[in-house]
PDB file of all heavy atoms in Angstrom:
ATOM      1  N   HIS Z 324       0.570   1.081  -4.765  1.00 98.00           N
ATOM      2  CA  HIS Z 324       0.977  -0.329  -4.706  1.00 98.00           C
ATOM      3  C   HIS Z 324      -0.084  -1.194  -4.051  1.00 98.00           C
ATOM      4  O   HIS Z 324      -0.719  -0.805  -3.075  1.00 98.00           O
ATOM      5  CB  HIS Z 324       2.344  -0.491  -4.049  1.00 98.00           C
ATOM      6  CG  HIS Z 324       2.437  -0.175  -2.592  1.00 98.00           C
ATOM      7  ND1 HIS Z 324       2.220  -1.116  -1.625  1.00 98.00           N
ATOM      8  CD2 HIS Z 324       2.748   0.970  -1.923  1.00 98.00           C
ATOM      9  CE1 HIS Z 324       2.400  -0.574  -0.431  1.00 98.00           C
ATOM     10  NE2 HIS Z 324       2.718   0.694  -0.579  1.00 98.00           N
ATOM     11  N   ASP Z 426      -1.895   0.633   3.888  1.00 97.00           N
ATOM     12  CA  ASP Z 426      -0.667   0.851   3.122  1.00 97.00           C
ATOM     13  C   ASP Z 426      -0.542  -0.286   2.133  1.00 97.00           C
ATOM     14  O   ASP Z 426      -0.114  -1.374   2.500  1.00 97.00           O
ATOM     15  CB  ASP Z 426       0.531   0.903   4.089  1.00 97.00           C
ATOM     16  CG  ASP Z 426       1.855   1.003   3.378  1.00 97.00           C
ATOM     17  OD1 ASP Z 426       1.873   1.217   2.162  1.00 97.00           O
ATOM     18  OD2 ASP Z 426       2.898   0.870   4.058  1.00 97.00           O
ATOM     19  N   ASP Z 427      -0.923  -0.219   0.877  1.00 97.00           N
ATOM     20  CA  ASP Z 427      -1.402   1.003   0.291  1.00 97.00           C
ATOM     21  C   ASP Z 427      -2.750   0.787  -0.375  1.00 97.00           C
ATOM     22  O   ASP Z 427      -3.045   1.351  -1.415  1.00 97.00           O
ATOM     23  CB  ASP Z 427      -0.356   1.503  -0.716  1.00 97.00           C
ATOM     24  CG  ASP Z 427      -0.708   2.843  -1.333  1.00 97.00           C
ATOM     25  OD1 ASP Z 427      -1.420   3.618  -0.688  1.00 97.00           O
ATOM     26  OD2 ASP Z 427      -0.312   3.092  -2.473  1.00 97.00           O
ATOM     27  N   GLU Z 456       6.233  -3.146  -3.928  1.00 95.00           N
ATOM     28  CA  GLU Z 456       6.717  -1.856  -3.409  1.00 95.00           C
ATOM     29  C   GLU Z 456       7.407  -2.056  -2.072  1.00 95.00           C
ATOM     30  O   GLU Z 456       8.451  -1.455  -1.796  1.00 95.00           O
ATOM     31  CB  GLU Z 456       5.546  -0.870  -3.254  1.00 95.00           C
ATOM     32  CG  GLU Z 456       5.981   0.572  -2.973  1.00 95.00           C
ATOM     33  CD  GLU Z 456       6.191   0.891  -1.485  1.00 95.00           C
ATOM     34  OE1 GLU Z 456       5.794   0.063  -0.622  1.00 95.00           O
ATOM     35  OE2 GLU Z 456       6.743   1.954  -1.194  1.00 95.00           O
ATOM     36  N   GLU Z 457       6.828  -2.903  -1.242  1.00 94.00           N
ATOM     37  CA  GLU Z 457       7.316  -3.075   0.134  1.00 94.00           C
ATOM     38  C   GLU Z 457       8.696  -3.721   0.206  1.00 94.00           C
ATOM     39  O   GLU Z 457       9.332  -3.717   1.252  1.00 94.00           O
ATOM     40  CB  GLU Z 457       6.309  -3.878   0.972  1.00 94.00           C
ATOM     41  CG  GLU Z 457       4.950  -3.202   1.162  1.00 94.00           C
ATOM     42  CD  GLU Z 457       5.001  -1.976   2.073  1.00 94.00           C
ATOM     43  OE1 GLU Z 457       6.083  -1.642   2.589  1.00 94.00           O
ATOM     44  OE2 GLU Z 457       3.942  -1.343   2.243  1.00 94.00           O
ATOM     45  N   ASP Z 479       0.418   7.124  -1.965  1.00 97.00           N
ATOM     46  CA  ASP Z 479       0.777   6.148  -0.935  1.00 97.00           C
ATOM     47  C   ASP Z 479       0.473   6.763   0.437  1.00 97.00           C
ATOM     48  O   ASP Z 479       0.099   7.933   0.533  1.00 97.00           O
ATOM     49  CB  ASP Z 479       2.267   5.798  -1.055  1.00 97.00           C
ATOM     50  CG  ASP Z 479       2.599   4.418  -0.475  1.00 97.00           C
ATOM     51  OD1 ASP Z 479       1.810   3.892   0.326  1.00 97.00           O
ATOM     52  OD2 ASP Z 479       3.663   3.885  -0.820  1.00 97.00           O
ATOM     53  N   VAL Z 480       0.657   5.993   1.479  1.00 97.00           N
ATOM     54  CA  VAL Z 480       0.389   6.506   2.827  1.00 97.00           C
ATOM     55  C   VAL Z 480       1.641   7.204   3.363  1.00 97.00           C
ATOM     56  O   VAL Z 480       2.738   6.998   2.862  1.00 97.00           O
ATOM     57  CB  VAL Z 480      -0.034   5.375   3.790  1.00 97.00           C
ATOM     58  CG1 VAL Z 480      -1.237   4.636   3.240  1.00 97.00           C
ATOM     59  CG2 VAL Z 480       1.114   4.417   4.061  1.00 97.00           C
ATOM     60  N   GLY Z 539      10.381   5.095   1.568  1.00 92.00           N
ATOM     61  CA  GLY Z 539      10.263   5.641   0.224  1.00 92.00           C
ATOM     62  C   GLY Z 539       8.954   5.224  -0.386  1.00 92.00           C
ATOM     63  O   GLY Z 539       8.105   4.656   0.289  1.00 92.00           O
ATOM     64  N   THR Z 540       8.788   5.520  -1.656  1.00 95.00           N
ATOM     65  CA  THR Z 540       7.564   5.134  -2.336  1.00 95.00           C
ATOM     66  C   THR Z 540       7.864   4.919  -3.819  1.00 95.00           C
ATOM     67  O   THR Z 540       8.993   5.117  -4.270  1.00 95.00           O
ATOM     68  CB  THR Z 540       6.464   6.191  -2.134  1.00 95.00           C
ATOM     69  OG1 THR Z 540       5.267   5.705  -2.711  1.00 95.00           O
ATOM     70  CG2 THR Z 540       6.824   7.517  -2.779  1.00 95.00           C
ATOM     71  N   HIS Z 565       2.204  -0.089   9.110  1.00 97.00           N
ATOM     72  CA  HIS Z 565       2.794  -1.435   9.154  1.00 97.00           C
ATOM     73  C   HIS Z 565       2.371  -2.258  10.378  1.00 97.00           C
ATOM     74  O   HIS Z 565       2.996  -3.258  10.709  1.00 97.00           O
ATOM     75  CB  HIS Z 565       4.331  -1.400   9.021  1.00 97.00           C
ATOM     76  CG  HIS Z 565       4.774  -1.134   7.602  1.00 97.00           C
ATOM     77  ND1 HIS Z 565       6.051  -1.356   7.162  1.00 97.00           N
ATOM     78  CD2 HIS Z 565       4.096  -0.669   6.529  1.00 97.00           C
ATOM     79  CE1 HIS Z 565       6.138  -1.036   5.879  1.00 97.00           C
ATOM     80  NE2 HIS Z 565       4.959  -0.609   5.476  1.00 97.00           N
TER      81      HIS Z 565
HETATM   82 ZN1   ZN L 160       3.204   1.977   1.001  1.00 80.46          ZN
END
Side-chain angles (χ1 to χ4, degrees):
H324 68 89
D426 175 10
D427 184 27
E456 191 273 349
E457 297 290 359
D479 205 340
V480 304
T540 185
H565 284 196

